[in-house]
Every structure is written in C-alpha cells, then in structure tokens.
Amino acid sequence: IAKTAIIDNDLNPKWNETFKIEVCHKANTIIFDVRDKDHAYTEEIGKVEIPTQHLLDGQVVEGWFDINKGRKVNGHLNLYVKYTSMHDIAETYEVDSYFKMRRGCKVTLYQDAMCPPDIPWLNMVQGPPNMPLDIRSCWKDMYYDI
C-alpha cells in the first residue's frame, strides 16, 4: 500500500517517513516487507508482522520489531502505528492540499469548456435566488482573468 524512499549503500538506513493510509478492508495483520534494492532486482531482507487486533482495541503499536526471514532475524525496524476510526474523526470538508482552505472564494461551474449562448433546454434553469442562468465560456473567463 505504501513504499518508502530507497536509501542507497547504507547498512543502517533511517527513513523517518510518515504515511497516512486510509483502509477499507479487513486484515488480520499488517505486514512490513523490508527489501534491499540492487540494480537488477530486490532481495527480501525479511518481514515484520503486526496483528491488527491490537490496533482495533485502541492500542498504539510502537517500538523496535525483529525483521524475520524464516526463523532468522535480519535486523530491527522501529515503528509507530496508530489506528483512528472514521467515527472518531470529526466530519469536515478540509482536505490535504498544498494551499489552506479559505472562505468566501468564488467557484464557477461550467457546462462545458465551450458552451453555445442559447441552449433551449437550459433556459428553464435558474441561477442563485431566481436569477437567470449566466452561461459562461471557460476559455473567455480564463483569457480575461489572465
């Protein structure tokens, strides 16, 4: 579901990466698959498996975990995993984006990028409080705004 950056030529890599992953399916375990990337292929170092029941019970899973390949331990992975239910998140219209959300902005919705000025079956459509619909051209608006 998520992939970290590749750290070249390091026997003690530190990713310091954070992932927010929205899940909608049932799983018994979360598997962290640790690999060594070479030029032509990737070699499996091992896996860390965390039972999801701990997370569903509200526990935060954090600390150092053995990277296992078969019965052999091939290192350790430091993790912090927390599950937050959608029921616990306040309903909001905020979305992750580069620009912060602002109020009072104008949004123009277009029928099409180029719409003829008189479409008979749109004449009955009303705009805001009983005003006639103002059919605009996306291309003209962009030209005048730039």
Side-chain angles (χ1 to χ4, degrees):
I1 295 177
K3 184 178 178 181
T4 63
I6 296 170
I7 299 175
D8 291 322
N9 302 320
D10 193 339
L11 295 176
N12 190 23
K14 292 181 176 70
W15 287 276
N16 292 323
E17 292 184 10
T18 301
F19 295 97
K20 176 182 172 184
I21 301 170
E22 296 177 6
V23 293
C24 59
H25 55 278
K26 183 169 174 39
N28 294 327
T29 58
I30 297 176
I31 301 172
F32 295 88
D33 186 6
V34 182
R35 297 183 165 270
D36 180 24
K37 175 141 175 52
D38 292 326
H39 295 290
Y41 62 95
T42 62
E43 177 186 355
E44 181 183 3
I45 302 297
K47 295 179 181 173
V48 175
E49 295 187 20
I50 298 174
T52 56
Q53 192 59 48
H54 297 301
L55 298 167
L56 294 173
D57 292 340
Q59 298 175 28
V60 172
V61 176
E62 66 179 314
W64 289 96
F65 295 87
D66 292 340
I67 302 171
N68 298 309
K69 185 173 182 183
R71 294 187 177 160
K72 184 178 177 189
V73 175
N74 284 339
H76 307 283
L77 188 61
N78 190 12
L79 298 171
Y80 177 93
V81 182
K82 178 182 176 185
Y83 170 74
T84 304
S85 170
M86 289 299 290
H87 295 291
D88 297 337
I89 299 173
E91 189 172 316
T92 178
Y93 294 106
E94 291 279 338
V95 294
D96 293 334
S97 65
Y98 184 78
F99 298 104
K100 290 290 182 193
M101 194 170 183
R102 298 185 178 140
R103 298 198 182 279
C105 297
K106 179 183 173 189
V107 175
T108 304
L109 301 176
Y110 296 96
Q111 167 68 24
D112 201 339
M114 187 63 178
C115 189
D118 188 29
I119 301 176
W121 41 273
L122 279 181
N123 288 339
M124 66 184 132
V125 176
Q126 297 289 308
N130 297 323
M131 294 176 56
L133 182 64
D134 180 22
I135 298 175
R136 310 282 303 256
S137 165
C138 176
W139 302 115
K140 285 182 184 177
D141 284 353
M142 286 192 326
Y143 173 79
Y144 292 125
D145 286 344
I146 295 175

